[in-house]
Amino acid sequence: MLDVSTRSRTVRVPGGELHLSWAAMTHTGRRREVNQDAVFAEFPLFVVADGMGGHVGGEIASASAITRLHETVDAGTVSPKTIEKALARAVKDIASHPDATDEGTGTTVTGVYLETSGDEAHWVTLNIGDSRVYLLRDDAIVQITTDHSVVQELIAAGRLSPEEAENHPYGNVITRAVGPSDGVVPDYVRLDVVSGDRFVICSDGLTKELTDYGIRHFLTENADPAAAVSAMMDAALENGGRDNITIVVLDVAPSSPAAD
């Protein structure tokens, strides 16, 4: 089993308190020489970036995005406005870096943060690219984010089935990324806070090796976030580990009845 630990935090939300626990891990995989994934998992933001680009461009792009988002958390306010400002700064970082000159250099950015400024707390997912946020609620798993990919566009147009998409030659081609040639406005989805929810935030290195059912299986079998992350990582590597793999598991529980 790979080394990963669970962290936890109790946070105040309108009407009570909420207990969060999470674990995160990234791995180069079995076929890549460099890990171009990056991850940030600190309350209130949990995000994965999957870089792309020649030489070390992808590594630079994902690290730039994560660094700028980290700064946003440190500054104390996470919102669509501050996220988009951070990603705009990351684009400038990528464009100015001497080793990130490939036109295809960029990164996905996908994650979830807790919004507590209103009358009720809400989760907000954000997404650019084809990394994903899943939600396990009431034993059912749902992909919350929508991939920005050629394959997803073909599925939406009815020209490709999900089964056919699994081995499509354009499976790695994304239509939106954080990079010099792309915009930096994510798609957002707002979700209620529900006790017992479990989020999985992952790069496509996981979903290339595990189906949605497989992800659900490992969540169901492993109550602890670190154990769930480790089990999914081990399975993805055993199934081939064809790409870099990054996984965050985030669990939600009330610390008081008012948070329910």
Side-chain angles (χ1 to χ4, degrees), residues 39-40 46 88 90 93 97 99 108 114 116 169 207 232 242 245:
V39 59
F40 179 78
F46 306 84
D93 295 341
H97 199 290
D99 292 325
T108 70
L114 185 65
T116 59
T207 52
M232 282 189 276
R242 291 168 287 176
I245 307 163

Side-chain angles (χ1 to χ4, degrees), residues 121-161:
H122 287 87
W123 292 105
V124 181
T125 67
L126 58 136
N127 182 53
I128 298 175
D130 65 349
S131 296
R132 293 178 177 177
V133 174
Y134 288 93
L135 172 61
L136 181 71
R137 178 179 289 178
D138 298 329
D139 293 324
I141 193 164
V142 178
Q143 180 183 333
I144 302 299
T145 54
T146 299
D147 296 351
H148 299 136
S149 67
V150 170
V151 163
Q152 181 58 44
E153 289 183 356
L154 291 172
I155 292 172
R159 296 169 59 189
L160 200 66
S161 70

Side-chain angles (χ1 to χ4, degrees), residues 3 14 41 50 96 140 148-149 178 227:
D3 184 25
D50 178 359
S96 64
H148 299 136
S149 67
V178 177

Side-chain angles (χ1 to χ4, degrees), residues 88-113:
R89 294 187 185 103
V91 168
K92 291 181 179 179
D93 295 341
I94 297 164
S96 64
H97 199 290
D99 292 325
T101 56
D102 190 307
E103 288 186 2
T105 297
T107 183
T108 70
V109 173
T110 303
V112 61
Y113 68 91

Side-chain angles (χ1 to χ4, degrees), residues 54-207:
H55 191 44
V56 295
E59 192 175 4
I60 292 163
S62 61
S64 297
I66 292 299
T67 296
R68 291 301 189 177
L69 289 168
H70 191 166
E71 291 172 355
T72 296
V73 171
D74 289 344
T77 302
V78 178
S79 67
K81 183 177 180 179
T82 60
I83 286 169
E84 288 159 29
K85 284 185 176 180
L87 296 180
R89 294 187 185 103
V91 168
K92 291 181 179 179
D93 295 341
I94 297 164
S96 64
H97 199 290
D99 292 325
T101 56
D102 190 307
E103 288 186 2
T105 297
T107 183
T108 70
V109 173
T110 303
V112 61
Y113 68 91
L114 185 65
E115 168 61 60
T116 59
S117 61
D119 294 335
E120 294 183 359
H122 287 87
W123 292 105
V124 181
T125 67
L126 58 136
N127 182 53
I128 298 175
D130 65 349
S131 296
R132 293 178 177 177
V133 174
Y134 288 93
L135 172 61
L136 181 71
R137 178 179 289 178
D138 298 329
D139 293 324
I141 193 164
V142 178
Q143 180 183 333
I144 302 299
T145 54
T146 299
D147 296 351
H148 299 136
S149 67
V150 170
V151 163
Q152 181 58 44
E153 289 183 356
L154 291 172
I155 292 172
R159 296 169 59 189
L160 200 66
S161 70
E163 293 74 22
E164 292 170 330
E166 291 182 7
N167 297 305
H168 196 277
Y170 291 160
N172 290 327
V173 180
I174 66 172
T175 55
R176 286 174 63 186
V178 177
S181 61
D182 289 287
V184 291
V185 179
D187 291 343
Y188 299 101
V189 177
R190 191 175 174 91
L191 301 166
D192 291 338
V193 174
V194 176
S195 176
D197 278 357
R198 307 191 77 184
F199 289 97
V200 175
I201 304 122
C202 62
S203 62
D204 68 340
L206 179 68
T207 52

Side-chain angles (χ1 to χ4, degrees), residues 32-46:
R32 301 293 177 92
E33 295 182 358
V34 176
N35 191 351
Q36 296 190 346
D37 283 6
V39 59
F40 179 78
E42 299 281 350
F43 177 82
L45 178 65
F46 306 84

